[in-house]
Amino acid sequence: MRHTRTRAVPVTAAVAMTAVLAGCTTTGATSGDPGGDAAGATKIRTTIDVPASFDPVKALSLPDYVLARNSYDTLVRKDDGGLVGGLATDWKATPTSATFTLRTDATCADGTPITPKIVKASLDRFADPKTAAPDLPTVFGPGNKVKVTADDAANKVEIALARPWGDMVTGLSVASTGIVCPAGLKDLKALAAGKAKGSQSGPYLLQKSQSGVSYSYTLRPEYKAWPAWRTKIPGKVATTMEYLVSPDPTATGNLVTSGQLDIGKIDASGIPRFDGVNGHSVSISRFSDFYLLFNERPGTVFADVATRRAVAQAVDRAAFTKVVSKDTGEPSTMFVQKAIPCNDPDSSSLVPKDKAAAAAVLKGKKIRLVGPQVVGPAGAGNQYIQEALRAAGADVTLANVDVGAWVGTVFGKPDAWDLTVFADLNFLGTLANPLGHFVGPTVPEGGGNLGAVKNPALNKAFAQGAEATNEGARCAAYQKAAKALISNVDAVPLVNDPFIYALREGFSAQMLGGSLDDPILRITG
């Protein structure tokens, strides 16, 4: 039977924001995951793309986050209808601070109790600009100053911000904020390689890693710190999680049908093979937002707004949607899916198609396009963009690469690319999330501004949204910021693409409350 899920972000964001603005106490009991009893459960075999690092703070692409979630617990977690406790049992928040009470039964993999001082040490590293955590602007607000205080006697951790940031508590549910125990902080090189024994605060330990091929995790038998999900989660946790790198969705589908995989990511074209066929099922979640992002550094081809506008004129967004998701995706107008709070479905601010105008500007332009292979089957979306620009006369070279290589280029080599099809994972479930990629310092400078964008109207509106104390003012400001981004063609919204799992009979997959980085996989049969 086809199992269709959409991200429950509006409720999640509303509940979280209400708690922040009211300064009330939000409680998530932690009596144990309903699937926490692993008796009789054995193994789940699933797919993953190539991770870039096992250090949660350095997470950049989805596989980094998924594997970080296995081994490092966060203070809070997303559930349908709001946040629940992770390492925290309850919390109280205002626009500039949050105080968390920790659970008392959580331990590191080496047996060290997880105390407020341990949480502080991990969050201090995350918040230190020198660490250059990619999610720092997302979690605490761009350029914000963060002070973490530990009170072991009261079992509490307090986080104070210099400027208001209404998304802080929700941000602390993202896997990159997972708490790294002292053993990991003492050996960052081993942490990045997944070999820092005792560093884990979460349920699984990496036992075997064959880079680019497979990764095997085993459940800690003493682990008790399961979240108390409000949503009923059928089945039991696996004692072993095996991740196989299988970037081709057709091959993945074959592995599921042959019984060599239990849960595998497929694309929309594969749905008929599994939708109620021979006991198989399909799980669909609204997922990645695709948009064009330009490198605007001085001297680059896209430092010129007219050239950026020509690219927008050359691209047919409807055709891109067909190529990427077989029309199962949702064309976007503001870099987010339709259900995201503050989204404006009005498309009047988008640059209209005009192939003749595009050709007049792009003829002879040399463009280095890089895109991850997750943009449509085998990166077909990247190939579509290349051909659309070539049709307009541009000289386009394409690096259609795996996620790890894409991350390494776009985030780590600012002089090696001109244009990318950006695959944005909106972990916060807010309009602020994508906007954060275009404001503040660049990535090499410790910020999140990937293309070195300089847009005063965007910056002003974004700052107003970040400091707003009510949702109406916040949405108005963020919408103004998004329109400033679109009108200056610093980015071009394309489509929200679904995440599709093919499931063998006896297995389930859920993403609660829009938690893109927290797939909950269970054995049900």
Side-chain angles (χ1 to χ4, degrees), residues 17 46 62 83 153 222 232 250 271 329 359 382 427 433 480:
M17 193 58 65
T46 188
L62 182 61
L83 299 173
E222 80 284 1
K232 181 175 175 57
T250 300
I271 290 176
N382 305 319
F427 296 130
N433 188 90
K480 186 176 181 179

mmCIF file of all heavy atoms in Angstrom, residues 17 46 62 83 153 222 232 250 271 329 359 382 427 433 480:
data_model
loop_
_atom_site.group_PDB
_atom_site.id
_atom_site.type_symbol
_atom_site.label_atom_id
_atom_site.label_comp_id
_atom_site.label_asym_id
_atom_site.label_seq_id
_atom_site.Cartn_x
_atom_site.Cartn_y
_atom_site.Cartn_z
ATOM 1 N N MET A 17 7.415 28.103 17.946
ATOM 2 C CA MET A 17 7.471 29.556 18.004
ATOM 3 C C MET A 17 6.628 30.102 19.140
ATOM 4 O O MET A 17 7.002 31.060 19.807
ATOM 5 C CB MET A 17 6.990 30.147 16.671
ATOM 6 C CG MET A 17 7.322 31.621 16.531
ATOM 7 S SD MET A 17 9.100 31.915 16.666
ATOM 8 C CE MET A 17 9.677 31.051 15.222
ATOM 9 N N THR A 46 19.922 -0.588 4.386
ATOM 10 C CA THR A 46 19.352 0.545 3.664
ATOM 11 C C THR A 46 20.442 1.250 2.870
ATOM 12 O O THR A 46 21.597 0.825 2.853
ATOM 13 C CB THR A 46 18.650 1.504 4.647
ATOM 14 O OG1 THR A 46 17.944 2.515 3.921
ATOM 15 C CG2 THR A 46 19.648 2.154 5.601
ATOM 16 N N LEU A 62 23.255 15.305 3.403
ATOM 17 C CA LEU A 62 22.323 14.434 4.114
ATOM 18 C C LEU A 62 22.987 13.217 4.759
ATOM 19 O O LEU A 62 22.681 12.901 5.916
ATOM 20 C CB LEU A 62 21.198 13.993 3.177
ATOM 21 C CG LEU A 62 20.139 13.114 3.827
ATOM 22 C CD1 LEU A 62 19.432 13.835 4.966
ATOM 23 C CD2 LEU A 62 19.128 12.640 2.788
ATOM 24 N N LEU A 83 8.037 19.749 19.230
ATOM 25 C CA LEU A 83 9.291 19.186 19.696
ATOM 26 C C LEU A 83 9.078 18.289 20.900
ATOM 27 O O LEU A 83 8.154 18.506 21.698
ATOM 28 C CB LEU A 83 10.262 20.310 20.083
ATOM 29 C CG LEU A 83 10.672 21.283 18.972
ATOM 30 C CD1 LEU A 83 11.498 22.416 19.560
ATOM 31 C CD2 LEU A 83 11.442 20.562 17.875
ATOM 32 N N ALA A 153 24.845 21.165 39.359
ATOM 33 C CA ALA A 153 24.052 20.951 40.567
ATOM 34 C C ALA A 153 22.558 20.936 40.250
ATOM 35 O O ALA A 153 21.794 20.119 40.782
ATOM 36 C CB ALA A 153 24.363 22.029 41.604
ATOM 37 N N GLU A 222 23.533 -0.946 26.282
ATOM 38 C CA GLU A 222 23.183 -0.254 27.531
ATOM 39 C C GLU A 222 22.413 1.036 27.284
ATOM 40 O O GLU A 222 21.988 1.712 28.228
ATOM 41 C CB GLU A 222 24.469 0.063 28.317
ATOM 42 C CG GLU A 222 25.246 1.300 27.850
ATOM 43 C CD GLU A 222 26.045 1.107 26.559
ATOM 44 O OE1 GLU A 222 25.991 -0.005 25.978
ATOM 45 O OE2 GLU A 222 26.706 2.073 26.130
ATOM 46 N N LYS A 232 2.935 7.340 17.471
ATOM 47 C CA LYS A 232 3.169 5.907 17.628
ATOM 48 C C LYS A 232 4.100 5.420 16.522
ATOM 49 O O LYS A 232 3.857 5.643 15.337
ATOM 50 C CB LYS A 232 1.853 5.127 17.570
ATOM 51 C CG LYS A 232 2.037 3.629 17.755
ATOM 52 C CD LYS A 232 0.710 2.918 17.807
ATOM 53 C CE LYS A 232 0.903 1.408 17.876
ATOM 54 N NZ LYS A 232 1.716 0.981 19.030
ATOM 55 N N THR A 250 17.625 2.987 -9.765
ATOM 56 C CA THR A 250 17.172 1.756 -10.411
ATOM 57 C C THR A 250 17.866 0.550 -9.792
ATOM 58 O O THR A 250 17.232 -0.468 -9.493
ATOM 59 C CB THR A 250 17.437 1.805 -11.925
ATOM 60 O OG1 THR A 250 16.737 2.919 -12.489
ATOM 61 C CG2 THR A 250 16.971 0.526 -12.597
ATOM 62 N N ILE A 271 8.172 4.269 -8.411
ATOM 63 C CA ILE A 271 7.021 4.051 -7.526
ATOM 64 C C ILE A 271 6.139 2.886 -7.985
ATOM 65 O O ILE A 271 5.750 2.036 -7.163
ATOM 66 C CB ILE A 271 6.204 5.345 -7.376
ATOM 67 C CG1 ILE A 271 6.989 6.372 -6.566
ATOM 68 C CG2 ILE A 271 4.853 5.070 -6.706
ATOM 69 C CD1 ILE A 271 6.293 7.720 -6.436
ATOM 70 N N GLY A 329 7.109 16.401 -7.669
ATOM 71 C CA GLY A 329 7.605 17.537 -6.911
ATOM 72 C C GLY A 329 6.651 18.715 -6.978
ATOM 73 O O GLY A 329 5.690 18.726 -7.750
ATOM 74 N N ALA A 359 19.653 34.411 -24.727
ATOM 75 C CA ALA A 359 20.683 34.150 -25.730
ATOM 76 C C ALA A 359 21.498 35.394 -26.036
ATOM 77 O O ALA A 359 22.714 35.315 -26.301
ATOM 78 C CB ALA A 359 20.037 33.618 -27.005
ATOM 79 N N ASN A 382 20.697 18.437 -13.320
ATOM 80 C CA ASN A 382 21.914 19.192 -13.638
ATOM 81 C C ASN A 382 22.149 19.211 -15.148
ATOM 82 O O ASN A 382 22.528 20.233 -15.729
ATOM 83 C CB ASN A 382 23.127 18.562 -12.948
ATOM 84 C CG ASN A 382 22.942 18.438 -11.451
ATOM 85 O OD1 ASN A 382 22.426 19.346 -10.816
ATOM 86 N ND2 ASN A 382 23.367 17.315 -10.884
ATOM 87 N N PHE A 427 16.142 21.936 7.403
ATOM 88 C CA PHE A 427 15.968 21.244 8.675
ATOM 89 C C PHE A 427 15.098 22.028 9.651
ATOM 90 O O PHE A 427 14.388 21.445 10.467
ATOM 91 C CB PHE A 427 17.334 20.973 9.317
ATOM 92 C CG PHE A 427 18.195 20.042 8.508
ATOM 93 C CD1 PHE A 427 19.499 20.375 8.207
ATOM 94 C CD2 PHE A 427 17.706 18.841 8.046
ATOM 95 C CE1 PHE A 427 20.299 19.526 7.461
ATOM 96 C CE2 PHE A 427 18.485 17.983 7.299
ATOM 97 C CZ PHE A 427 19.789 18.326 7.005
ATOM 98 N N ASN A 433 15.563 29.551 6.781
ATOM 99 C CA ASN A 433 16.601 28.562 6.505
ATOM 100 C C ASN A 433 17.296 28.808 5.165
ATOM 101 O O ASN A 433 18.521 28.956 5.120
ATOM 102 C CB ASN A 433 16.018 27.160 6.566
ATOM 103 C CG ASN A 433 17.075 26.075 6.483
ATOM 104 O OD1 ASN A 433 17.614 25.632 7.481
ATOM 105 N ND2 ASN A 433 17.371 25.619 5.271
ATOM 106 N N LYS A 480 9.796 39.782 2.310
ATOM 107 C CA LYS A 480 10.472 40.911 1.679
ATOM 108 C C LYS A 480 11.915 40.531 1.337
ATOM 109 O O LYS A 480 12.426 40.873 0.264
ATOM 110 C CB LYS A 480 10.445 42.120 2.607
ATOM 111 C CG LYS A 480 11.005 43.398 1.996
ATOM 112 C CD LYS A 480 10.851 44.572 2.953
ATOM 113 C CE LYS A 480 11.392 45.863 2.340
ATOM 114 N NZ LYS A 480 11.225 47.018 3.273
#
